[in-house]
Amino acid sequence: MPPRSWDIFCTVIDNYGDIGVAWRLARRLARDHGHAVRLWVDDLDSFARIAPGLDPALPRQTLAGIDIRHWPHTDFPADIVPADAVIEAFGCRLPDSFENAMAAQAVKPAWINLEYLSAEDWTLSHHKLPSPHPRLPLTKHFFFPGFDAASGGLICEDGLIDARAAWQADDAAQDAYWLRRGLPPRVPGELRVSLFAYHNPAAAQLLQAWADGPLPVRCLVPEGKVLPDVSGLFGRALRAGDHARLGNLDVHALPLSDQDDYDRLLWSCDFNCVRGEDSLVRSQWAARPMLWHIYPQDDDAHLAKLKAFLDQYCAGLPTDMAAALHALNLAWNRDGDIAAAWRDAAPWLPAWREHATNWQQHLLKDGDLAARLLHFVGEIS
């Protein structure tokens, strides 16, 4: 039988990415599958930025039907009874007392290490592999999210795709959304872009290319690490609520929103620049052309990860189109000639938009991450 209760542990590393994935998975299990979920998080302040109803001063609270606990890395409560299934998100180490409590259960919890998202071939050989505990009668299994049927898939809530399609067909709803955010409605021929990235010197170059280009571009920049790079183009610090204009480019700095509102931002734009893991996944469900700023790693290991994703994403595309998409993403992540790469990729935007819809359907034909995870945990329980 699949589990009915879950403990999810998450250490916040880069402010929003890790907790973003953990929070979406917790909501998916609780809301769509009716399971009891207890979410342990060590940094409630960062968590509260994407979950505005959360009070970071409270060590225990309920939000969206989920039991949220502050995770103290010292003096973890010794009287916690583990749930049917336990997830350590992205290799965060469980408290010793909690592992001992797991081992003391007559029926041992299913123990999952939810790994980082990757399209690299090696992850498929490690997906679902067992890892016996060195001293306790426990076995942990690795679970790798991914983009093909042999992987763990990607998180996608019930009804999300239909909701997104309805939203993108409703111009009035989008106009009202822009108005609520203090932004003007679309104008004919405008390219509307969201820009969420890590620190990136290429950002100013890309924005300059848009400013010098033939189309009006309205770029929406949520608060984050790339905003100082954007500000440099205008010679002044931009903060949430600010607007700046240069040539054919309008830039609006936006306050960081909750997850649902960020989804609507992605749905409402023609092109999305995203970063890390959580926003990359959400951009797939937006079914729009996208540019990925991958988390930088030593020795450029992240570029191999980027190439593996692009090889899958671009499979079956015309050769010239695939080359343009590869070049654009590599220039964005290697501080290359992003202006030239954009000029080569821009003519493909109509075909790219159609591809994004087909790709999203491909990703879900074998179920999302939660469905695959439930099936696997049912097998090992």
Side-chain angles (χ1 to χ4, degrees):
M1 292 291 293
R4 299 298 301 175
S5 63
W6 298 75
D7 276 303
I8 302 176
F9 286 80
C10 178
T11 297
V12 178
I13 296 175
D14 69 345
N15 292 327
Y16 312 117
D18 295 344
I19 183 55
V21 174
W23 181 227
R24 289 195 192 277
L25 178 58
R27 294 168 69 197
R28 175 87 167 103
L29 293 169
R31 182 179 62 189
D32 295 339
H33 294 280
H35 293 188
V37 180
R38 185 166 49 189
L39 176 59
W40 300 88
V41 183
D42 65 344
D43 180 359
L44 294 180
D45 288 308
S46 293
F47 187 7
R49 297 294 301 278
I50 62 170
L54 186 76
D55 184 347
L58 295 178
R60 179 178 181 178
Q61 58 200 291
T62 300
L63 186 64
I66 296 162
D67 181 5
I68 297 172
R69 308 286 186 98
H70 179 244
W71 174 10
H73 285 286
T74 58
D75 299 324
F76 187 85
D79 58 347
I80 299 296
V81 177
D84 298 336
V86 176
I87 293 178
E88 56 180 50
F90 314 115
C92 64
R93 193 183 183 286
L94 299 182
D96 289 340
S97 63
F98 192 84
E99 289 187 0
N100 290 330
M102 290 167 62
Q105 300 299 301
V107 178
K108 306 297 185 283
W111 183 9
I112 301 294
N113 181 358
L114 180 65
E115 284 285 354
Y116 286 102
L117 171 64
S118 178
E120 294 172 286
D121 289 340
W122 68 267
T123 63
L124 297 181
S125 62
H126 290 71
H127 180 50
K128 300 182 180 179
L129 276 185
S131 176
H133 196 284
R135 57 182 181 80
L136 296 174
L138 295 170
T139 299
K140 174 167 57 179
H141 289 80
F142 295 95
F143 199 87
F144 281 84
F147 303 92
D148 60 19
S151 72
L154 306 173
I155 300 170
C156 183
E157 302 90 312
D158 289 347
L160 181 75
I161 302 305
D162 289 341
R164 186 267 304 160
W167 177 270
Q168 291 176 339
D170 191 339
D171 292 337
Q174 292 181 55
D175 287 344
Y177 169 76
W178 296 127
L179 183 63
R180 286 196 304 274
R181 303 213 66 171
L183 299 168
R186 288 179 178 274
V187 298
E190 175 190 87
L191 183 72
R192 193 155 289 206
V193 179
S194 76
L195 174 56
F196 187 50
Y198 303 108
H199 164 63
N200 192 342
Q205 300 170 35
L206 179 58
L207 267 64
Q208 185 68 60
W210 289 338
D212 297 337
L215 295 176
V217 176
R218 192 169 300 276
C219 182
L220 314 172
V221 188
E223 286 179 298
K225 296 180 180 180
V226 78
L227 191 55
D229 299 306
V230 174
S231 298
L233 185 65
F234 300 97
R236 62 185 177 94
L238 296 177
R239 296 178 176 84
D242 287 347
H243 168 243
R245 181 173 177 80
L246 178 67
N248 266 341
L249 171 68
D250 283 275
V251 169
H252 298 265
L254 305 180
L256 196 69
S257 62
D258 64 19
Q259 288 186 323
D260 294 340
D261 202 61
Y262 181 66
D263 281 342
R264 285 188 287 272
L265 177 65
L266 296 175
W267 298 353
S268 303
C269 288
D270 305 298
F271 188 85
N272 293 304
C273 303
V274 297
R275 76 176 209 194
E277 177 173 333
D278 183 55
S279 58
L280 170 67
V281 173
R282 305 315 285 190
S283 72
Q284 311 310 304
W285 310 142
R288 290 289 186 263
M290 44 71 59
L291 182 61
W292 185 21
H293 194 199
I294 192 169
Y295 189 81
Q297 293 176 288
D298 294 337
D299 300 324
D300 287 341
H302 59 294
L303 296 181
K305 188 174 178 179
L306 174 65
K307 184 179 183 300
F309 165 71
L310 292 171
D311 286 346
Q312 287 198 34
Y313 184 73
C314 296
L317 293 180
T319 302
D320 290 348
M321 179 180 175
L325 270 56
H326 271 82
L328 181 65
N329 277 272
L330 287 172
W332 186 236
N333 283 276
R334 291 194 303 201
D335 193 19
D337 190 346
I338 190 70
W342 172 258
R343 288 193 296 269
D344 291 341
W348 292 104
L349 283 173
W352 194 350
R353 186 162 172 156
E354 180 180 357
H355 168 65
T357 299
N358 295 334
W359 167 253
Q360 165 243 291
Q361 294 169 352
H362 160 76
L363 292 175
L364 289 174
K365 64 183 178 66
D366 295 293
D368 89 314
L369 183 143
R372 301 185 199 190
L373 179 62
L374 283 169
H375 180 77
F376 175 63
V377 170
E379 288 182 335
I380 64 174
S381 294

